[in-house]
Amino acid sequence: MTETTGVTLTVGQVAERFGVTVRTLHHYDEIGLLSPSERSHAGYRLYTEEDLTRLQHVVVYRRLGFALEDVAMLLEHPEGAVEHLRRQRTAVLQRLGEMRDLVTAIDRALEREMSNQPATPDEMKELFGEGFHDAQAEAEERWGETDAWRQSQERTKGYTKADWEEVRAESDRTHQAFTDAMDAGEPPTSEMAMDAAELHRASMQRFYDCSYEMHRGLADMYVSDPRFTATYDEIRPGMAHYVRDAIHANADRHQG
C-alpha cells in the first residue's frame, strides 16, 4: 500500500470536479488511459495532482473529438503539459473557426428562408398603414367574385416583405410621375402624363391582367368613389381627376 502525499482526490470528487461520471473514470482506469497513482489506507483509489493534469488533457482532447486510442497516443509523447496545451489551443482555435463558418452559413440560410416567407400581417401594416386590412376586407367584399380578384390573390399569395416593399416603392414612383407632370403644367393628355398613366397600368399588371378598358374603369372609380378621390387629392389637390383623365388619354393612345 502506497502512502498518500500532497493533494489527492477520490473518484467521486474527481468526477464532480471534471464533470465526468465515475463509470467513465473506472473505464479510463481499466484501459490504462488514466489510473489513480495512490491508494488510501482503506484501499480506495486516489488521484494525485499529476493524475488530475493528465485527466484535464484527456477531457480536452475528448471534447475536441479525439478517439480514446488517439488520446492515449498523444499522452504517451513526452512533450509535457505546455506542449499539450499548445496543441489543444491550436485545435480549439481551429474548431472555433469552423464553428464561426458554420454559424455564418446558418445565418445566411436563415436569412434566405426568412426572406422567402410570405409577409406577415404586421409587416403589411408596417408598409401600408393601419387601415390596410380594413381596405383589403372591403376590396374582397366588393370584387371577391371577380376573375381579377382571384388572379390577384393567386399572384400575391407568396409575396414576401421585400416584394411588398417593391410594390410600395413602385406606387410611390407612379404618384411621383403624376405629380411631376402636374407640377410641370402638363395637361392630362400630354406625353408626360400618359407615360405616368402607363406606369400606373404596369403596376396593376403585377396583380392582374389590366387591359386598357379595365384601366379606364379603375380610373373612373378614382373620381366616383370619394375615398379613392380623397386618397389621390391628399397627395395633390385635383390629382384624382388628373389621373383619371391621363389614364383615359393613355388608353386612347394605345387603342386608337
Side-chain angles (χ1 to χ4, degrees):
M1 181 173 59
T2 306
E3 293 293 331
T4 61
T5 59
V7 177
T8 55
L9 298 177
T10 65
V11 173
Q13 291 171 326
V14 172
E16 182 177 357
R17 174 177 293 191
F18 284 85
V20 297
T21 65
V22 171
R23 182 176 179 179
T24 295
L25 292 173
H26 287 165
H27 180 61
Y28 290 169
D29 188 8
E30 290 170 2
I31 65 176
L33 180 63
L34 175 67
S35 298
S37 298
E38 298 189 0
R39 298 273 177 171
S40 69
H41 291 289
Y44 294 110
R45 289 172 291 191
L46 295 175
Y47 291 83
T48 65
E49 291 183 7
E50 184 177 337
D51 296 334
L52 298 180
T53 298
R54 183 178 176 89
L55 177 58
Q56 178 181 327
H57 294 316
V58 172
V59 170
V60 173
Y61 283 131
R62 290 292 287 158
R63 288 180 179 174
L64 288 171
F66 287 92
L68 288 177
E69 295 81 0
D70 296 328
V71 174
M73 183 182 66
L74 288 168
L75 293 179
E76 290 309 312
H77 290 286
E79 295 98 337
V82 171
E83 192 59 36
H84 278 300
L85 291 172
R86 284 175 176 167
R87 183 189 293 118
Q88 290 165 3
R89 184 178 186 277
T90 299
V92 169
L93 289 175
Q94 180 179 352
R95 183 65 57 84
L96 285 174
E98 293 171 356
M99 290 297 102
R100 280 193 292 267
D101 291 342
L102 180 58
V103 169
T104 299
I106 292 173
D107 285 344
R108 287 174 178 169
L110 182 60
E111 184 177 348
R112 286 195 301 270
E113 289 299 319
M114 292 295 290
S115 65
N116 288 329
Q117 295 298 313
T120 65
D122 286 342
E123 288 171 338
M124 296 297 285
K125 186 185 298 183
E126 175 188 338
L127 288 170
F128 298 103
E130 292 290 333
F132 173 79
H133 297 298
D134 291 338
Q136 280 288 96
E138 183 177 338
E140 182 174 7
E141 183 178 347
R142 179 182 293 192
W143 295 298
E145 299 302 318
T146 66
D147 290 338
W149 175 264
R150 286 189 287 270
Q151 196 173 52
S152 174
Q153 293 303 294
E154 180 64 26
R155 289 185 183 180
T156 61
K157 65 181 180 181
Y159 271 20
T160 65
K161 182 181 180 182
D163 292 326
W164 286 111
E165 286 174 341
E166 176 56 29
V167 169
R168 176 61 186 270
E170 194 173 71
S171 176
D172 290 343
R173 289 193 295 270
T174 302
H175 293 160
Q176 188 62 52
F178 280 120
T179 56
D180 287 347
M182 294 177 71
D183 290 343
E186 297 286 345
T189 54
S190 67
E191 291 289 326
M192 191 173 183
M194 288 190 292
D195 287 346
E198 183 61 24
L199 185 63
H200 181 276
R201 192 183 75 88
S203 70
M204 294 296 102
Q205 293 274 84
R206 177 190 287 269
F207 302 103
Y208 53 83
D209 297 335
C210 186
S211 67
Y212 287 103
E213 282 306 312
M214 183 176 288
H215 204 205
R216 288 180 191 271
L218 192 61
D220 290 339
M221 186 178 61
Y222 291 161
V223 296
S224 64
D225 189 319
R227 287 166 298 185
F228 281 103
T229 302
T231 297
Y232 276 107
D233 286 357
E234 185 178 334
I235 299 173
R236 184 64 52 85
M239 187 174 179
H241 283 79
Y242 187 91
V243 169
R244 189 275 310 272
D245 292 345
I247 289 174
H248 275 277
N250 183 59
D252 290 340
R253 175 174 63 166
H254 285 87
Q255 292 182 319

